[in-house]
Amino acid sequence: MAEFLTIVGLSLKVALFALIWALPLGFVLGYVLATKRFFGRRLLSVVVMMPLVMPPVVTGLVLLYLFGPKGAVGQLLAPLGISFAFNVAGAALAAGLVALPLIVRPIRLSFEHVSKDLDEALAVAGLTPWQRFITLYAPSALPGVVAGGVLGFAKALGEFGATITFVANIPGETQTLSLAIHSALQAFDQGQLVLWLCLVSIGISGLAIWGSEFLLSWLERRLTGRRAVRHV
């Protein structure tokens, strides 16, 4: 039981830490890609979405070459006492990177559906870009943020390939649910542990999706009510 609770707790910790850094970055990237026009925009979009289509092992290798002990970034961070290889921070980095495309996409779509005519009307009325962002863009992006956050959390929770490549499968340190299931499947006497880990994975994922549906419905009612009040 102690081993089971350690695996579940570590998995939730990694997924949460991954979301803490990936969701704000996804919000910024979604806004920039949806509203700004600049040289290299398409290239940035390609780079952001690549972890979604690349084999996760390749993503893990890229992280290892960059943030590993002998990687370009890893060597720069080492004197500062910062290390991502073979620890929880590295697992959160890998899981967040793989989840980032699923976070950016719904946020970007939410920003792209903002009425440009309304934005121009607010600009004519004298609102600054920051005021228009707060009053128009940020509320409109909330459904995308919720959807992206839930999808990112679920993806980070079940991430396997990039994590095992970058931080290995260390019990109590980097062994998340998917890695623990993989290890248990290699043993002949771990069938019950595999069953419980699978049930927990299904339960957490289902609960996250149900929660997102509830929040999206609540946000839709709130936003619809505000629009009705404005029209009145």
Side-chain angles (χ1 to χ4, degrees), residues 12-206:
L12 293 173
K13 182 179 179 180
V14 168
L16 181 60
F17 284 177
L19 199 63
I20 286 175
W21 79 262
L23 187 58
L25 178 60
F27 184 86
V28 173
L29 288 171
Y31 176 74
V32 169
L33 291 172
T35 63
K36 306 300 180 182
R37 298 293 180 268
F38 55 91
F39 178 77
R41 175 173 169 269
R42 290 186 179 179
L43 178 60
L44 176 61
S45 180
V46 169
V47 171
V48 169
M49 299 304 294
M50 279 186 70
L52 184 63
V53 295
M54 282 196 315
V57 173
V58 175
T59 303
L61 285 173
V62 171
L63 288 173
L64 190 60
Y65 290 143
L66 288 176
F67 292 92
K70 297 183 179 180
V73 180
Q75 291 184 25
L76 292 175
L77 295 176
L80 302 176
I82 301 174
S83 173
F84 288 98
F86 312 115
N87 56 39
V88 174
L93 177 62
L97 182 61
V98 173
L100 187 61
L102 294 177
I103 295 174
V104 172
R105 188 60 180 166
I107 295 175
R108 178 179 178 178
L109 290 174
S110 294
F111 280 126
E112 288 177 344
H113 280 85
V114 173
S115 172
K116 299 300 184 292
D117 293 336
L118 181 56
D119 184 41
E120 291 177 1
L122 293 175
V124 171
L127 272 69
T128 65
W130 175 248
Q131 289 173 323
R132 300 202 305 275
F133 175 81
I134 293 297
T135 58
L136 177 60
Y137 283 95
S140 299
L142 280 178
V145 172
V146 172
V150 172
L151 287 173
F153 180 84
K155 180 63 176 176
L157 188 68
E159 210 294 307
F160 176 81
T163 304
I164 197 172
T165 304
F166 182 44
V167 297
N169 184 6
I170 306 172
E173 185 66 34
T174 64
Q175 190 179 72
T176 56
L177 280 167
S178 55
L179 272 63
I181 292 172
H182 173 75
S183 296
L185 284 173
Q186 312 305 310
F188 294 103
D189 58 345
Q190 296 295 319
Q192 188 174 5
L193 178 61
V194 171
L195 176 61
W196 278 108
L197 291 174
C198 288
L199 290 175
V200 168
S201 300
I202 294 170
I204 294 175
S205 300

Side-chain angles (χ1 to χ4, degrees), residues 219-231:
L219 284 171
E220 185 177 357
R221 291 196 300 269
R222 293 269 298 183
L223 292 174
T224 302
R226 288 182 179 179
R227 293 191 190 104
V229 170
R230 288 174 183 172
H231 286 304

